[in-house]
mmCIF file of all heavy atoms in Angstrom:
data_model
loop_
_atom_site.group_PDB
_atom_site.id
_atom_site.type_symbol
_atom_site.label_atom_id
_atom_site.label_comp_id
_atom_site.label_asym_id
_atom_site.label_seq_id
_atom_site.Cartn_x
_atom_site.Cartn_y
_atom_site.Cartn_z
ATOM 1 N N LYS I 751 75.508 105.432 103.669
ATOM 2 C CA LYS I 751 74.346 104.671 104.138
ATOM 3 C C LYS I 751 74.478 104.319 105.621
ATOM 4 O O LYS I 751 73.480 104.217 106.325
ATOM 5 C CB LYS I 751 74.196 103.396 103.304
ATOM 6 C CG LYS I 751 72.916 102.644 103.559
ATOM 7 C CD LYS I 751 72.704 101.541 102.550
ATOM 8 C CE LYS I 751 73.463 100.314 102.978
ATOM 9 N NZ LYS I 751 73.207 99.150 102.111
ATOM 10 N N HIS I 752 75.705 104.147 106.096
ATOM 11 C CA HIS I 752 75.934 103.803 107.507
ATOM 12 C C HIS I 752 76.200 105.027 108.373
ATOM 13 O O HIS I 752 76.702 104.909 109.494
ATOM 14 C CB HIS I 752 77.073 102.789 107.618
ATOM 15 C CG HIS I 752 76.658 101.428 107.197
ATOM 16 N ND1 HIS I 752 76.718 100.996 105.898
ATOM 17 C CD2 HIS I 752 76.133 100.400 107.911
ATOM 18 C CE1 HIS I 752 76.258 99.765 105.820
ATOM 19 N NE2 HIS I 752 75.892 99.376 107.022
ATOM 20 N N GLY I 753 75.897 106.207 107.861
ATOM 21 C CA GLY I 753 75.935 107.405 108.692
ATOM 22 C C GLY I 753 77.185 108.246 108.585
ATOM 23 O O GLY I 753 77.299 109.272 109.248
ATOM 24 N N ALA I 754 78.150 107.867 107.782
ATOM 25 C CA ALA I 754 79.385 108.646 107.654
ATOM 26 C C ALA I 754 79.264 109.635 106.493
ATOM 27 O O ALA I 754 78.459 109.450 105.581
ATOM 28 C CB ALA I 754 80.567 107.722 107.416
ATOM 29 N N ARG I 755 80.072 110.661 106.549
ATOM 30 C CA ARG I 755 80.128 111.631 105.457
ATOM 31 C C ARG I 755 81.543 111.623 104.903
ATOM 32 O O ARG I 755 82.495 111.908 105.627
ATOM 33 C CB ARG I 755 79.770 113.011 105.977
ATOM 34 C CG ARG I 755 79.543 114.026 104.873
ATOM 35 C CD ARG I 755 79.122 115.321 105.458
ATOM 36 N NE ARG I 755 80.319 115.890 106.096
ATOM 37 C CZ ARG I 755 80.471 117.160 106.366
ATOM 38 N NH1 ARG I 755 79.503 117.996 106.129
ATOM 39 N NH2 ARG I 755 81.568 117.607 106.920
ATOM 40 N N VAL I 756 81.699 111.280 103.626
ATOM 41 C CA VAL I 756 83.019 111.186 103.000
ATOM 42 C C VAL I 756 83.475 112.594 102.635
ATOM 43 O O VAL I 756 82.836 113.274 101.832
ATOM 44 C CB VAL I 756 82.980 110.274 101.754
ATOM 45 C CG1 VAL I 756 84.347 110.231 101.089
ATOM 46 C CG2 VAL I 756 82.529 108.873 102.142
ATOM 47 N N VAL I 757 84.599 113.026 103.234
ATOM 48 C CA VAL I 757 85.115 114.376 102.979
ATOM 49 C C VAL I 757 86.374 114.363 102.123
ATOM 50 O O VAL I 757 86.866 115.413 101.736
ATOM 51 C CB VAL I 757 85.383 115.130 104.308
ATOM 52 C CG1 VAL I 757 84.077 115.362 105.052
ATOM 53 C CG2 VAL I 757 86.374 114.377 105.176
ATOM 54 N N GLY I 758 86.911 113.184 101.831
ATOM 55 C CA GLY I 758 88.093 113.092 100.992
ATOM 56 C C GLY I 758 88.349 111.659 100.576
ATOM 57 O O GLY I 758 87.842 110.717 101.191
ATOM 58 N N ARG I 759 89.130 111.515 99.491
ATOM 59 C CA ARG I 759 89.449 110.179 98.974
ATOM 60 C C ARG I 759 90.929 110.114 98.620
ATOM 61 O O ARG I 759 91.483 111.054 98.069
ATOM 62 C CB ARG I 759 88.652 109.873 97.713
ATOM 63 C CG ARG I 759 87.172 109.816 97.922
ATOM 64 C CD ARG I 759 86.471 109.564 96.619
ATOM 65 N NE ARG I 759 85.037 109.601 96.799
ATOM 66 C CZ ARG I 759 84.194 109.081 95.956
ATOM 67 N NH1 ARG I 759 84.613 108.475 94.863
ATOM 68 N NH2 ARG I 759 82.898 109.148 96.178
ATOM 69 N N ILE I 760 91.536 108.970 98.929
ATOM 70 C CA ILE I 760 92.926 108.694 98.578
ATOM 71 C C ILE I 760 92.967 107.307 97.954
ATOM 72 O O ILE I 760 92.355 106.379 98.470
ATOM 73 C CB ILE I 760 93.850 108.712 99.826
ATOM 74 C CG1 ILE I 760 93.884 110.092 100.468
ATOM 75 C CG2 ILE I 760 95.238 108.228 99.489
ATOM 76 C CD1 ILE I 760 94.812 111.079 99.820
ATOM 77 N N VAL I 761 93.719 107.168 96.853
ATOM 78 C CA VAL I 761 93.859 105.873 96.192
ATOM 79 C C VAL I 761 95.337 105.520 96.107
ATOM 80 O O VAL I 761 96.145 106.334 95.667
ATOM 81 C CB VAL I 761 93.247 105.901 94.770
ATOM 82 C CG1 VAL I 761 93.541 104.613 94.033
ATOM 83 C CG2 VAL I 761 91.757 106.145 94.844
ATOM 84 N N GLN I 762 95.681 104.317 96.539
ATOM 85 C CA GLN I 762 97.036 103.763 96.393
ATOM 86 C C GLN I 762 96.928 102.656 95.371
ATOM 87 O O GLN I 762 96.173 101.713 95.553
ATOM 88 C CB GLN I 762 97.530 103.191 97.723
ATOM 89 C CG GLN I 762 98.827 102.423 97.637
ATOM 90 C CD GLN I 762 100.040 103.321 97.625
ATOM 91 O OE1 GLN I 762 100.308 103.980 98.603
ATOM 92 N NE2 GLN I 762 100.759 103.355 96.527
ATOM 93 N N ARG I 763 97.669 102.785 94.266
ATOM 94 C CA ARG I 763 97.649 101.751 93.227
ATOM 95 C C ARG I 763 98.980 101.039 93.223
ATOM 96 O O ARG I 763 100.017 101.638 93.379
ATOM 97 C CB ARG I 763 97.363 102.385 91.877
ATOM 98 C CG ARG I 763 95.993 103.047 91.934
ATOM 99 C CD ARG I 763 95.363 103.328 90.639
ATOM 100 N NE ARG I 763 95.211 102.155 89.828
ATOM 101 C CZ ARG I 763 95.232 102.202 88.511
ATOM 102 N NH1 ARG I 763 95.395 103.331 87.888
ATOM 103 N NH2 ARG I 763 95.076 101.108 87.810
ATOM 104 N N ARG I 764 98.924 99.738 93.005
ATOM 105 C CA ARG I 764 100.116 98.902 93.010
ATOM 106 C C ARG I 764 100.223 98.161 91.696
ATOM 107 O O ARG I 764 99.239 97.654 91.200
ATOM 108 C CB ARG I 764 100.025 97.888 94.150
ATOM 109 C CG ARG I 764 101.208 96.971 94.293
ATOM 110 C CD ARG I 764 102.349 97.737 94.921
ATOM 111 N NE ARG I 764 103.580 96.999 94.938
ATOM 112 C CZ ARG I 764 104.109 96.478 96.022
ATOM 113 N NH1 ARG I 764 103.495 96.569 97.163
ATOM 114 N NH2 ARG I 764 105.269 95.887 95.946
ATOM 115 N N GLY I 765 101.409 98.119 91.134
ATOM 116 C CA GLY I 765 101.621 97.349 89.928
ATOM 117 C C GLY I 765 101.509 98.153 88.661
ATOM 118 O O GLY I 765 101.376 97.595 87.584
ATOM 119 N N VAL I 766 101.543 99.476 88.767
ATOM 120 C CA VAL I 766 101.461 100.315 87.585
ATOM 121 C C VAL I 766 102.774 100.247 86.817
ATOM 122 O O VAL I 766 102.800 100.177 85.605
ATOM 123 C CB VAL I 766 101.114 101.767 87.971
ATOM 124 C CG1 VAL I 766 101.083 102.661 86.753
ATOM 125 C CG2 VAL I 766 99.778 101.796 88.697
ATOM 126 N N SER I 767 103.893 100.224 87.533
ATOM 127 C CA SER I 767 105.203 100.124 86.891
ATOM 128 C C SER I 767 105.570 98.655 86.693
ATOM 129 O O SER I 767 104.945 97.753 87.250
ATOM 130 C CB SER I 767 106.267 100.799 87.761
ATOM 131 O OG SER I 767 106.428 100.068 88.953
ATOM 132 N N ALA I 768 106.624 98.405 85.912
ATOM 133 C CA ALA I 768 107.066 97.030 85.659
ATOM 134 C C ALA I 768 107.526 96.352 86.947
ATOM 135 O O ALA I 768 107.260 95.177 87.175
ATOM 136 C CB ALA I 768 108.183 97.018 84.629
ATOM 137 N N GLY I 769 108.223 97.086 87.815
ATOM 138 C CA GLY I 769 108.703 96.505 89.075
ATOM 139 C C GLY I 769 107.568 96.170 90.018
ATOM 140 O O GLY I 769 107.602 95.168 90.729
ATOM 141 N N GLY I 770 106.531 97.010 90.035
ATOM 142 C CA GLY I 770 105.407 96.781 90.926
ATOM 143 C C GLY I 770 104.485 95.679 90.452
ATOM 144 O O GLY I 770 103.757 95.082 91.235
ATOM 145 N N ALA I 771 104.507 95.383 89.140
ATOM 146 C CA ALA I 771 103.607 94.357 88.597
ATOM 147 C C ALA I 771 103.896 92.980 89.173
ATOM 148 O O ALA I 771 102.994 92.173 89.347
ATOM 149 C CB ALA I 771 103.726 94.313 87.072
ATOM 150 N N ARG I 772 105.153 92.705 89.507
ATOM 151 C CA ARG I 772 105.503 91.402 90.076
ATOM 152 C C ARG I 772 105.010 91.262 91.512
ATOM 153 O O ARG I 772 104.854 90.162 92.014
ATOM 154 C CB ARG I 772 107.016 91.213 90.034
ATOM 155 C CG ARG I 772 107.565 90.983 88.644
ATOM 156 C CD ARG I 772 109.026 90.631 88.712
ATOM 157 N NE ARG I 772 109.813 91.688 89.338
ATOM 158 C CZ ARG I 772 110.456 92.653 88.669
ATOM 159 N NH1 ARG I 772 110.410 92.678 87.362
ATOM 160 N NH2 ARG I 772 111.144 93.570 89.306
ATOM 161 N N LYS I 773 104.786 92.381 92.185
ATOM 162 C CA LYS I 773 104.412 92.347 93.600
ATOM 163 C C LYS I 773 102.983 92.827 93.835
ATOM 164 O O LYS I 773 102.652 93.263 94.918
ATOM 165 C CB LYS I 773 105.370 93.244 94.380
ATOM 166 C CG LYS I 773 106.809 92.859 94.248
ATOM 167 C CD LYS I 773 107.678 93.855 94.974
ATOM 168 C CE LYS I 773 109.137 93.560 94.781
ATOM 169 N NZ LYS I 773 109.974 94.572 95.402
ATOM 170 N N MET I 774 102.149 92.749 92.821
ATOM 171 C CA MET I 774 100.815 93.331 92.892
ATOM 172 C C MET I 774 99.957 92.833 94.040
ATOM 173 O O MET I 774 99.197 93.580 94.620
ATOM 174 C CB MET I 774 100.068 93.087 91.587
ATOM 175 C CG MET I 774 100.143 94.253 90.688
ATOM 176 S SD MET I 774 99.030 94.060 89.338
ATOM 177 C CE MET I 774 100.054 93.207 88.192
ATOM 178 N N ALA I 775 100.028 91.577 94.356
ATOM 179 C CA ALA I 775 99.153 91.020 95.389
ATOM 180 C C ALA I 775 99.610 91.385 96.797
ATOM 181 O O ALA I 775 98.862 91.215 97.752
ATOM 182 C CB ALA I 775 99.090 89.503 95.254
ATOM 183 N N LEU I 776 100.817 91.898 96.942
ATOM 184 C CA LEU I 776 101.361 92.221 98.257
ATOM 185 C C LEU I 776 101.111 93.685 98.611
ATOM 186 O O LEU I 776 101.133 94.544 97.733
ATOM 187 C CB LEU I 776 102.872 91.962 98.268
ATOM 188 C CG LEU I 776 103.321 90.551 97.902
ATOM 189 C CD1 LEU I 776 104.834 90.505 97.801
ATOM 190 C CD2 LEU I 776 102.819 89.565 98.922
ATOM 191 N N PRO I 777 100.906 93.994 99.883
ATOM 192 C CA PRO I 777 100.800 95.396 100.270
ATOM 193 C C PRO I 777 102.176 96.058 100.197
ATOM 194 O O PRO I 777 103.202 95.384 100.204
ATOM 195 C CB PRO I 777 100.297 95.327 101.716
ATOM 196 C CG PRO I 777 100.716 93.989 102.187
ATOM 197 C CD PRO I 777 100.720 93.087 100.989
ATOM 198 N N TYR I 778 102.201 97.377 100.103
ATOM 199 C CA TYR I 778 103.471 98.079 100.121
ATOM 200 C C TYR I 778 104.207 97.808 101.426
ATOM 201 O O TYR I 778 105.401 97.656 101.455
ATOM 202 C CB TYR I 778 103.265 99.591 99.972
ATOM 203 C CG TYR I 778 103.257 100.033 98.540
ATOM 204 C CD1 TYR I 778 102.079 100.283 97.877
ATOM 205 C CD2 TYR I 778 104.441 100.190 97.849
ATOM 206 C CE1 TYR I 778 102.070 100.688 96.562
ATOM 207 C CE2 TYR I 778 104.445 100.593 96.529
ATOM 208 C CZ TYR I 778 103.256 100.836 95.890
ATOM 209 O OH TYR I 778 103.256 101.230 94.593
ATOM 210 N N SER I 779 103.470 97.788 102.510
ATOM 211 C CA SER I 779 104.061 97.566 103.820
ATOM 212 C C SER I 779 103.112 96.701 104.642
ATOM 213 O O SER I 779 101.918 96.986 104.695
ATOM 214 C CB SER I 779 104.274 98.913 104.515
ATOM 215 O OG SER I 779 104.512 98.741 105.883
#
């Protein structure tokens, strides 16, 4: 709608594993 054309998508998910679930609200870096 704002004039861009999406040519690809990347998704980073956090908290899928048991170790990541405790840090879900934090970015990886």
Side-chain angles (χ1 to χ4, degrees):
K751 189 170 84 175
H752 285 88
R755 191 177 72 159
V756 178
V757 295
R759 296 178 184 199
I760 296 279
V761 173
Q762 172 81 66
R763 299 199 57 210
R764 181 76 188 253
V766 178
S767 67
R772 288 187 300 265
K773 302 176 184 176
M774 263 191 271
L776 303 173
Y778 271 100
S779 165

